[in-house]
Amino acid sequence: MSSTLSRDGYPDIIVRSIPFAFDEQINPVWHPDRPEWSHMLNGASLTMPYLEPFLIKTVKEGLKNASNQELKEDVYGFIGQEGQHYQNHRRYNEILKQGHYPDLVDVEANMESDYRRLQGKSLRWRVAYAAGFETMTMGITEWLIKDRRDLFAGADPAVTSLVLWHMVEETEHKNVAFDLYQDLFGSYRARVWGLIFATYHVAKYSRQAYMKMLKKDGLWKSWWSRLRLYRMIARFFVNIAPALIKSVLPGYHPSKIEDPDWVSRWTAAYAHLPKNSIPLLNTMDPEIPAQFST
């Protein structure tokens, strides 16, 4: 299936059931030249099985009050894609915990408790959080794809393919949470607060996780490692800042942001794979073209 246009020029939201497979002996430092970067994304992966069910529950509740039938169909696509995301991240996370970092269960326990607490917030607050998080991921997507040669070349192809597949689908459903929020509430201030809080909240738990992994690897007390980490964190914020700034301007809408061309090439390449194939990218090619081996 290739990406076609649906309502108002939006791309179709395709739910791809991709059973990513990870070697039980996979090196958690999946980019051998960038251990800090590896653990930053490992930390982000750990949040997904808690964050994304929260988003799914939130938009499901909001769906009951949505007035636009086409928006409702998009929400179902959003739910399907996010469900696939957290299931695949959970597979990878289980290997991280069982093989190397059992203490990550403490971070998971904190997240489970916290997201249960947040589920008690008002629907407006929760949909604003969902819209804010999805807005923030647009900046991440643009960065990861633009700098994929530096960030992923020579890295483990399974982890790289998981991350970039996730980013492609974030692009496909980038309008949904925003449109749902606007349809139900539309308050500018609450939307901006959702963006700020969601960015902080997910970053907080990602940091707790990567700190534990760096400590276990004996890198946390290394000043060279700490310097590399801080440089990567700074690079993260510098690259996502333009998207965040645009998103708080009056009149903003995610559909106004042009998608990276590589996303279209990824979806076109995936359309030619047999059903349920794993789209593994060739990370040994510095370009990391959107072509897959099965």
Side-chain angles (χ1 to χ4, degrees):
M1 290 180 292
S2 62
S3 180
T4 58
L5 295 183
S6 58
R7 68 180 185 94
D8 299 325
Y10 288 8
D12 283 332
I13 299 174
I14 302 169
V15 180
R16 303 173 179 88
S17 179
I18 301 177
F20 277 97
F22 304 100
D23 189 323
E24 293 293 325
Q25 303 303 315
I26 190 171
N27 188 343
V29 180
W30 46 266
H31 194 314
D33 297 329
R34 295 186 178 274
E36 296 80 16
W37 170 237
S38 297
H39 285 324
M40 283 176 66
L41 279 191
N42 289 343
S45 179
L46 197 75
T47 69
M48 294 298 113
Y50 301 91
L51 163 67
E52 293 190 313
F54 171 79
L55 300 180
I56 289 171
K57 289 177 184 177
T58 296
V59 300
K60 273 186 177 179
E61 187 175 339
L63 188 62
K64 298 173 185 177
N65 300 314
S67 59
N68 185 303
Q69 182 57 40
E70 290 179 324
L71 173 58
K72 290 181 179 181
E73 293 172 4
D74 286 349
V75 172
Y76 287 125
F78 174 94
I79 290 169
Q81 286 191 337
E82 296 289 37
Q84 288 295 316
H85 295 172
Y86 83 77
Q87 291 177 49
N88 277 287
H89 281 282
R90 179 178 286 159
R91 291 189 191 111
Y92 177 63
N93 297 345
E94 288 303 313
I95 294 174
L96 287 179
K97 290 184 296 179
Q98 294 171 8
H100 300 272
Y101 311 104
D103 288 351
L104 290 176
V105 296
D106 297 335
V107 182
E108 290 186 317
N110 291 339
M111 285 191 288
E112 184 174 19
S113 174
D114 203 9
Y115 277 110
R116 190 183 306 117
R117 177 184 64 84
L118 295 182
Q119 202 67 52
K121 295 277 190 179
S122 70
L123 181 61
R124 186 178 81 157
W125 192 96
R126 287 179 282 129
V127 179
Y129 181 111
F133 174 77
E134 293 297 316
T135 297
M136 184 264 291
T137 60
M138 291 173 59
I140 297 176
T141 298
E142 183 177 0
W143 173 44
L144 296 189
I145 289 175
K146 174 175 63 74
D147 288 357
R148 65 186 182 278
R149 301 165 188 82
D150 180 52
L151 297 174
F152 297 104
D156 184 280
V159 178
T160 300
S161 301
L162 168 70
V163 171
L164 292 179
W165 157 74
H166 191 156
M167 295 299 98
V168 166
E169 294 195 342
E170 289 295 321
T171 301
E172 288 181 336
H173 68 234
K174 68 181 182 181
N175 302 296
V176 177
F178 186 96
D179 283 348
L180 182 63
Y181 177 80
Q182 293 298 110
D183 186 66
L184 298 180
F185 306 108
S187 167
Y188 172 79
R189 288 185 179 181
R191 177 175 69 79
V192 172
W193 171 246
L195 171 68
I196 295 170
F197 184 83
T199 301
Y200 155 77
H201 191 244
V202 177
K204 178 181 75 170
Y205 285 114
S206 297
R207 183 177 186 274
Q208 288 182 16
Y210 70 64
M211 279 178 61
K212 283 186 176 290
M213 289 181 274
L214 289 170
K215 287 178 180 178
K216 182 69 180 292
D217 289 354
L219 292 172
W220 187 250
K221 293 183 179 180
S222 164
W223 283 107
W224 285 113
S225 177
R226 195 75 66 88
L227 180 60
R228 289 193 298 267
L229 174 65
Y230 292 156
R231 283 177 174 171
M232 187 57 73
I233 293 171
R235 184 174 170 185
F236 168 83
F237 281 108
V238 166
N239 279 278
I240 71 167
L244 297 182
I245 293 170
K246 289 177 185 176
S247 71
V248 300
L249 297 176
Y252 167 82
H253 192 277
S255 63
K256 296 180 180 179
I257 307 301
E258 185 176 356
D259 297 338
D261 176 66
W262 192 87
V263 168
S264 298
R265 286 186 274 138
W266 189 101
T267 57
Y270 182 83
H272 295 93
L273 283 180
K275 187 177 180 181
N276 295 331
S277 295
I278 300 174
L280 287 179
L281 296 162
N282 178 13
T283 59
M284 299 312 294
D285 184 336
E287 172 62 23
I288 311 185
Q291 300 170 357
F292 308 126
S293 60
T294 57

PDB file of all heavy atoms in Angstrom, residues 10 71 127 130-132 134-135 173-184 186 191 247 251-255:
ATOM      1  N   TYR A  10      -5.033  15.363   3.144  1.00  0.00           N
ATOM      2  CA  TYR A  10      -4.258  14.626   4.139  1.00  0.00           C
ATOM      3  C   TYR A  10      -3.898  13.257   3.561  1.00  0.00           C
ATOM      4  O   TYR A  10      -4.676  12.647   2.834  1.00  0.00           O
ATOM      5  CB  TYR A  10      -5.071  14.390   5.409  1.00  0.00           C
ATOM      6  CG  TYR A  10      -5.323  15.591   6.283  1.00  0.00           C
ATOM      7  CD1 TYR A  10      -4.981  16.876   5.887  1.00  0.00           C
ATOM      8  CD2 TYR A  10      -5.918  15.432   7.525  1.00  0.00           C
ATOM      9  CE1 TYR A  10      -5.230  17.968   6.702  1.00  0.00           C
ATOM     10  CE2 TYR A  10      -6.177  16.519   8.359  1.00  0.00           C
ATOM     11  CZ  TYR A  10      -5.834  17.786   7.927  1.00  0.00           C
ATOM     12  OH  TYR A  10      -6.085  18.856   8.749  1.00  0.00           O
ATOM     13  N   LEU A  71     -12.782  13.022  10.544  1.00  0.00           N
ATOM     14  CA  LEU A  71     -11.850  13.099  11.667  1.00  0.00           C
ATOM     15  C   LEU A  71     -11.925  11.821  12.495  1.00  0.00           C
ATOM     16  O   LEU A  71     -10.900  11.301  12.932  1.00  0.00           O
ATOM     17  CB  LEU A  71     -12.154  14.321  12.534  1.00  0.00           C
ATOM     18  CG  LEU A  71     -11.374  14.451  13.841  1.00  0.00           C
ATOM     19  CD1 LEU A  71      -9.870  14.465  13.594  1.00  0.00           C
ATOM     20  CD2 LEU A  71     -11.802  15.708  14.606  1.00  0.00           C
ATOM     21  N   VAL A 127      -6.308  15.772  26.044  1.00  0.00           N
ATOM     22  CA  VAL A 127      -6.225  15.930  24.592  1.00  0.00           C
ATOM     23  C   VAL A 127      -5.194  16.988  24.240  1.00  0.00           C
ATOM     24  O   VAL A 127      -4.477  16.867  23.232  1.00  0.00           O
ATOM     25  CB  VAL A 127      -7.605  16.263  23.992  1.00  0.00           C
ATOM     26  CG1 VAL A 127      -7.497  16.461  22.478  1.00  0.00           C
ATOM     27  CG2 VAL A 127      -8.606  15.145  24.284  1.00  0.00           C
ATOM     28  N   ALA A 130      -1.948  15.213  24.353  1.00  0.00           N
ATOM     29  CA  ALA A 130      -1.789  14.390  23.155  1.00  0.00           C
ATOM     30  C   ALA A 130      -1.404  15.249  21.954  1.00  0.00           C
ATOM     31  O   ALA A 130      -0.474  14.921  21.206  1.00  0.00           O
ATOM     32  CB  ALA A 130      -3.072  13.616  22.868  1.00  0.00           C
ATOM     33  N   ALA A 131      -2.111  16.358  21.770  1.00  0.00           N
ATOM     34  CA  ALA A 131      -1.801  17.241  20.649  1.00  0.00           C
ATOM     35  C   ALA A 131      -0.397  17.834  20.796  1.00  0.00           C
ATOM     36  O   ALA A 131       0.339  17.961  19.810  1.00  0.00           O
ATOM     37  CB  ALA A 131      -2.842  18.352  20.563  1.00  0.00           C
ATOM     38  N   GLY A 132      -0.018  18.167  22.024  1.00  0.00           N
ATOM     39  CA  GLY A 132       1.308  18.724  22.262  1.00  0.00           C
ATOM     40  C   GLY A 132       2.415  17.732  21.973  1.00  0.00           C
ATOM     41  O   GLY A 132       3.409  18.067  21.314  1.00  0.00           O
ATOM     42  N   GLU A 134       2.296  15.069  20.009  1.00  0.00           N
ATOM     43  CA  GLU A 134       2.341  14.781  18.582  1.00  0.00           C
ATOM     44  C   GLU A 134       2.968  15.938  17.807  1.00  0.00           C
ATOM     45  O   GLU A 134       3.642  15.723  16.804  1.00  0.00           O
ATOM     46  CB  GLU A 134       0.933  14.482  18.071  1.00  0.00           C
ATOM     47  CG  GLU A 134       0.333  13.200  18.622  1.00  0.00           C
ATOM     48  CD  GLU A 134       1.104  11.954  18.205  1.00  0.00           C
ATOM     49  OE1 GLU A 134       1.475  11.865  17.013  1.00  0.00           O
ATOM     50  OE2 GLU A 134       1.351  11.084  19.059  1.00  0.00           O
ATOM     51  N   THR A 135       2.754  17.162  18.262  1.00  0.00           N
ATOM     52  CA  THR A 135       3.379  18.319  17.625  1.00  0.00           C
ATOM     53  C   THR A 135       4.890  18.278  17.814  1.00  0.00           C
ATOM     54  O   THR A 135       5.665  18.520  16.872  1.00  0.00           O
ATOM     55  CB  THR A 135       2.815  19.621  18.225  1.00  0.00           C
ATOM     56  OG1 THR A 135       1.415  19.697  17.937  1.00  0.00           O
ATOM     57  CG2 THR A 135       3.512  20.839  17.652  1.00  0.00           C
ATOM     58  N   HIS A 173       0.144  10.582  10.712  1.00  0.00           N
ATOM     59  CA  HIS A 173      -0.994  10.962  11.567  1.00  0.00           C
ATOM     60  C   HIS A 173      -0.753  12.269  12.323  1.00  0.00           C
ATOM     61  O   HIS A 173      -1.373  12.526  13.353  1.00  0.00           O
ATOM     62  CB  HIS A 173      -1.372   9.815  12.517  1.00  0.00           C
ATOM     63  CG  HIS A 173      -0.371   9.480  13.579  1.00  0.00           C
ATOM     64  ND1 HIS A 173       0.131   8.200  13.750  1.00  0.00           N
ATOM     65  CD2 HIS A 173       0.208  10.221  14.551  1.00  0.00           C
ATOM     66  CE1 HIS A 173       0.953   8.193  14.777  1.00  0.00           C
ATOM     67  NE2 HIS A 173       1.006   9.419  15.286  1.00  0.00           N
ATOM     68  N   LYS A 174       0.106  13.115  11.795  1.00  0.00           N
ATOM     69  CA  LYS A 174       0.523  14.338  12.504  1.00  0.00           C
ATOM     70  C   LYS A 174      -0.627  15.303  12.764  1.00  0.00           C
ATOM     71  O   LYS A 174      -0.560  16.116  13.691  1.00  0.00           O
ATOM     72  CB  LYS A 174       1.622  15.043  11.728  1.00  0.00           C
ATOM     73  CG  LYS A 174       1.162  15.651  10.397  1.00  0.00           C
ATOM     74  CD  LYS A 174       2.307  16.317   9.661  1.00  0.00           C
ATOM     75  CE  LYS A 174       1.835  16.972   8.365  1.00  0.00           C
ATOM     76  NZ  LYS A 174       2.941  17.596   7.625  1.00  0.00           N
ATOM     77  N   ASN A 175      -1.675  15.255  11.946  1.00  0.00           N
ATOM     78  CA  ASN A 175      -2.785  16.202  12.097  1.00  0.00           C
ATOM     79  C   ASN A 175      -3.845  15.761  13.102  1.00  0.00           C
ATOM     80  O   ASN A 175      -4.653  16.579  13.543  1.00  0.00           O
ATOM     81  CB  ASN A 175      -3.490  16.394  10.747  1.00  0.00           C
ATOM     82  CG  ASN A 175      -2.569  16.893   9.659  1.00  0.00           C
ATOM     83  OD1 ASN A 175      -2.038  17.985   9.732  1.00  0.00           O
ATOM     84  ND2 ASN A 175      -2.370  16.074   8.643  1.00  0.00           N
ATOM     85  N   VAL A 176      -3.869  14.480  13.450  1.00  0.00           N
ATOM     86  CA  VAL A 176      -5.053  13.911  14.091  1.00  0.00           C
ATOM     87  C   VAL A 176      -5.300  14.471  15.487  1.00  0.00           C
ATOM     88  O   VAL A 176      -6.398  14.960  15.790  1.00  0.00           O
ATOM     89  CB  VAL A 176      -4.955  12.369  14.128  1.00  0.00           C
ATOM     90  CG1 VAL A 176      -6.166  11.778  14.860  1.00  0.00           C
ATOM     91  CG2 VAL A 176      -4.864  11.810  12.724  1.00  0.00           C
ATOM     92  N   ALA A 177      -4.318  14.382  16.376  1.00  0.00           N
ATOM     93  CA  ALA A 177      -4.535  14.849  17.747  1.00  0.00           C
ATOM     94  C   ALA A 177      -4.796  16.356  17.764  1.00  0.00           C
ATOM     95  O   ALA A 177      -5.631  16.837  18.542  1.00  0.00           O
ATOM     96  CB  ALA A 177      -3.329  14.504  18.621  1.00  0.00           C
ATOM     97  N   PHE A 178      -4.105  17.092  16.906  1.00  0.00           N
ATOM     98  CA  PHE A 178      -4.327  18.534  16.818  1.00  0.00           C
ATOM     99  C   PHE A 178      -5.764  18.826  16.371  1.00  0.00           C
ATOM    100  O   PHE A 178      -6.463  19.658  16.964  1.00  0.00           O
ATOM    101  CB  PHE A 178      -3.329  19.160  15.843  1.00  0.00           C
ATOM    102  CG  PHE A 178      -3.382  20.658  15.790  1.00  0.00           C
ATOM    103  CD1 PHE A 178      -2.514  21.424  16.546  1.00  0.00           C
ATOM    104  CD2 PHE A 178      -4.295  21.312  14.969  1.00  0.00           C
ATOM    105  CE1 PHE A 178      -2.555  22.811  16.502  1.00  0.00           C
ATOM    106  CE2 PHE A 178      -4.349  22.693  14.914  1.00  0.00           C
ATOM    107  CZ  PHE A 178      -3.482  23.447  15.676  1.00  0.00           C
ATOM    108  N   ASP A 179      -6.200  18.142  15.313  1.00  0.00           N
ATOM    109  CA  ASP A 179      -7.556  18.368  14.807  1.00  0.00           C
ATOM    110  C   ASP A 179      -8.612  17.971  15.837  1.00  0.00           C
ATOM    111  O   ASP A 179      -9.650  18.637  15.957  1.00  0.00           O
ATOM    112  CB  ASP A 179      -7.772  17.569  13.522  1.00  0.00           C
ATOM    113  CG  ASP A 179      -7.097  18.214  12.314  1.00  0.00           C
ATOM    114  OD1 ASP A 179      -6.659  19.377  12.430  1.00  0.00           O
ATOM    115  OD2 ASP A 179      -7.012  17.554  11.259  1.00  0.00           O
ATOM    116  N   LEU A 180      -8.357  16.889  16.554  1.00  0.00           N
ATOM    117  CA  LEU A 180      -9.317  16.469  17.581  1.00  0.00           C
ATOM    118  C   LEU A 180      -9.399  17.522  18.679  1.00  0.00           C
ATOM    119  O   LEU A 180     -10.500  17.856  19.139  1.00  0.00           O
ATOM    120  CB  LEU A 180      -8.899  15.120  18.166  1.00  0.00           C
ATOM    121  CG  LEU A 180      -9.838  14.531  19.232  1.00  0.00           C
ATOM    122  CD1 LEU A 180     -11.211  14.232  18.647  1.00  0.00           C
ATOM    123  CD2 LEU A 180      -9.232  13.274  19.854  1.00  0.00           C
ATOM    124  N   TYR A 181      -8.247  18.035  19.091  1.00  0.00           N
ATOM    125  CA  TYR A 181      -8.254  19.076  20.123  1.00  0.00           C
ATOM    126  C   TYR A 181      -9.020  20.306  19.644  1.00  0.00           C
ATOM    127  O   TYR A 181      -9.841  20.876  20.378  1.00  0.00           O
ATOM    128  CB  TYR A 181      -6.828  19.465  20.509  1.00  0.00           C
ATOM    129  CG  TYR A 181      -6.813  20.579  21.520  1.00  0.00           C
ATOM    130  CD1 TYR A 181      -7.041  20.328  22.867  1.00  0.00           C
ATOM    131  CD2 TYR A 181      -6.629  21.907  21.116  1.00  0.00           C
ATOM    132  CE1 TYR A 181      -7.083  21.358  23.796  1.00  0.00           C
ATOM    133  CE2 TYR A 181      -6.663  22.933  22.038  1.00  0.00           C
ATOM    134  CZ  TYR A 181      -6.894  22.657  23.375  1.00  0.00           C
ATOM    135  OH  TYR A 181      -6.953  23.676  24.281  1.00  0.00           O
ATOM    136  N   GLN A 182      -8.752  20.738  18.423  1.00  0.00           N
ATOM    137  CA  GLN A 182      -9.434  21.918  17.887  1.00  0.00           C
ATOM    138  C   GLN A 182     -10.941  21.677  17.761  1.00  0.00           C
ATOM    139  O   GLN A 182     -11.747  22.570  18.025  1.00  0.00           O
ATOM    140  CB  GLN A 182      -8.859  22.288  16.523  1.00  0.00           C
ATOM    141  CG  GLN A 182      -7.412  22.783  16.561  1.00  0.00           C
ATOM    142  CD  GLN A 182      -7.258  24.053  17.386  1.00  0.00           C
ATOM    143  OE1 GLN A 182      -6.679  24.040  18.474  1.00  0.00           O
ATOM    144  NE2 GLN A 182      -7.799  25.147  16.882  1.00  0.00           N
ATOM    145  N   ASP A 183     -11.314  20.475  17.376  1.00  0.00           N
ATOM    146  CA  ASP A 183     -12.730  20.146  17.214  1.00  0.00           C
ATOM    147  C   ASP A 183     -13.459  20.162  18.558  1.00  0.00           C
ATOM    148  O   ASP A 183     -14.598  20.628  18.646  1.00  0.00           O
ATOM    149  CB  ASP A 183     -12.860  18.767  16.559  1.00  0.00           C
ATOM    150  CG  ASP A 183     -14.304  18.407  16.232  1.00  0.00           C
ATOM    151  OD1 ASP A 183     -14.894  19.084  15.371  1.00  0.00           O
ATOM    152  OD2 ASP A 183     -14.839  17.471  16.851  1.00  0.00           O
ATOM    153  N   LEU A 184     -12.791  19.689  19.608  1.00  0.00           N
ATOM    154  CA  LEU A 184     -13.452  19.564  20.911  1.00  0.00           C
ATOM    155  C   LEU A 184     -13.322  20.819  21.760  1.00  0.00           C
ATOM    156  O   LEU A 184     -14.250  21.168  22.499  1.00  0.00           O
ATOM    157  CB  LEU A 184     -12.871  18.372  21.678  1.00  0.00           C
ATOM    158  CG  LEU A 184     -13.047  16.990  21.061  1.00  0.00           C
ATOM    159  CD1 LEU A 184     -12.420  15.937  21.961  1.00  0.00           C
ATOM    160  CD2 LEU A 184     -14.513  16.682  20.822  1.00  0.00           C
ATOM    161  N   GLY A 186     -10.225  23.813  21.366  1.00  0.00           N
ATOM    162  CA  GLY A 186      -9.741  24.953  20.611  1.00  0.00           C
ATOM    163  C   GLY A 186      -9.060  26.047  21.410  1.00  0.00           C
ATOM    164  O   GLY A 186      -8.643  27.047  20.826  1.00  0.00           O
ATOM    165  N   ARG A 191      -3.596  24.488  24.646  1.00  0.00           N
ATOM    166  CA  ARG A 191      -2.826  23.730  23.649  1.00  0.00           C
ATOM    167  C   ARG A 191      -1.331  23.962  23.830  1.00  0.00           C
ATOM    168  O   ARG A 191      -0.527  23.018  23.766  1.00  0.00           O
ATOM    169  CB  ARG A 191      -3.264  24.118  22.238  1.00  0.00           C
ATOM    170  CG  ARG A 191      -2.461  23.421  21.151  1.00  0.00           C
ATOM    171  CD  ARG A 191      -2.989  23.722  19.773  1.00  0.00           C
ATOM    172  NE  ARG A 191      -2.788  25.095  19.352  1.00  0.00           N
ATOM    173  CZ  ARG A 191      -1.629  25.567  18.897  1.00  0.00           C
ATOM    174  NH1 ARG A 191      -0.556  24.782  18.854  1.00  0.00           N
ATOM    175  NH2 ARG A 191      -1.523  26.817  18.495  1.00  0.00           N
ATOM    176  N   SER A 247       4.879  25.951  16.108  1.00  0.00           N
ATOM    177  CA  SER A 247       3.636  25.372  16.612  1.00  0.00           C
ATOM    178  C   SER A 247       2.907  26.263  17.605  1.00  0.00           C
ATOM    179  O   SER A 247       1.721  26.051  17.870  1.00  0.00           O
ATOM    180  CB  SER A 247       3.909  24.013  17.262  1.00  0.00           C
ATOM    181  OG  SER A 247       4.611  24.161  18.484  1.00  0.00           O
ATOM    182  N   GLY A 251      -2.589  30.618  14.249  1.00  0.00           N
ATOM    183  CA  GLY A 251      -2.841  30.156  12.892  1.00  0.00           C
ATOM    184  C   GLY A 251      -2.075  28.912  12.503  1.00  0.00           C
ATOM    185  O   GLY A 251      -2.168  28.439  11.357  1.00  0.00           O
ATOM    186  N   TYR A 252      -1.305  28.358  13.447  1.00  0.00           N
ATOM    187  CA  TYR A 252      -0.537  27.139  13.155  1.00  0.00           C
ATOM    188  C   TYR A 252      -1.455  25.952  12.885  1.00  0.00           C
ATOM    189  O   TYR A 252      -2.507  25.793  13.513  1.00  0.00           O
ATOM    190  CB  TYR A 252       0.374  26.808  14.333  1.00  0.00           C
ATOM    191  CG  TYR A 252       0.966  25.417  14.282  1.00  0.00           C
ATOM    192  CD1 TYR A 252       2.093  25.160  13.518  1.00  0.00           C
ATOM    193  CD2 TYR A 252       0.378  24.363  14.982  1.00  0.00           C
ATOM    194  CE1 TYR A 252       2.644  23.880  13.456  1.00  0.00           C
ATOM    195  CE2 TYR A 252       0.916  23.089  14.930  1.00  0.00           C
ATOM    196  CZ  TYR A 252       2.044  22.847  14.168  1.00  0.00           C
ATOM    197  OH  TYR A 252       2.567  21.582  14.116  1.00  0.00           O
ATOM    198  N   HIS A 253      -1.056  25.115  11.952  1.00  0.00           N
ATOM    199  CA  HIS A 253      -1.687  23.806  11.748  1.00  0.00           C
ATOM    200  C   HIS A 253      -0.616  22.852  11.230  1.00  0.00           C
ATOM    201  O   HIS A 253       0.198  23.237  10.374  1.00  0.00           O
ATOM    202  CB  HIS A 253      -2.850  23.877  10.764  1.00  0.00           C
ATOM    203  CG  HIS A 253      -3.670  22.625  10.760  1.00  0.00           C
ATOM    204  ND1 HIS A 253      -3.328  21.500  10.034  1.00  0.00           N
ATOM    205  CD2 HIS A 253      -4.816  22.301  11.433  1.00  0.00           C
ATOM    206  CE1 HIS A 253      -4.224  20.550  10.243  1.00  0.00           C
ATOM    207  NE2 HIS A 253      -5.134  21.006  11.079  1.00  0.00           N
ATOM    208  N   PRO A 254      -0.583  21.615  11.725  1.00  0.00           N
ATOM    209  CA  PRO A 254       0.471  20.671  11.300  1.00  0.00           C
ATOM    210  C   PRO A 254       0.513  20.439   9.798  1.00  0.00           C
ATOM    211  O   PRO A 254       1.580  20.161   9.244  1.00  0.00           O
ATOM    212  CB  PRO A 254       0.103  19.374  12.042  1.00  0.00           C
ATOM    213  CG  PRO A 254      -0.714  19.812  13.203  1.00  0.00           C
ATOM    214  CD  PRO A 254      -1.454  21.030  12.766  1.00  0.00           C
ATOM    215  N   SER A 255      -0.619  20.525   9.127  1.00  0.00           N
ATOM    216  CA  SER A 255      -0.650  20.272   7.686  1.00  0.00           C
ATOM    217  C   SER A 255       0.148  21.296   6.898  1.00  0.00           C
ATOM    218  O   SER A 255       0.501  21.061   5.728  1.00  0.00           O
ATOM    219  CB  SER A 255      -2.093  20.251   7.186  1.00  0.00           C
ATOM    220  OG  SER A 255      -2.716  21.507   7.372  1.00  0.00           O
TER     221      SER A 255
END
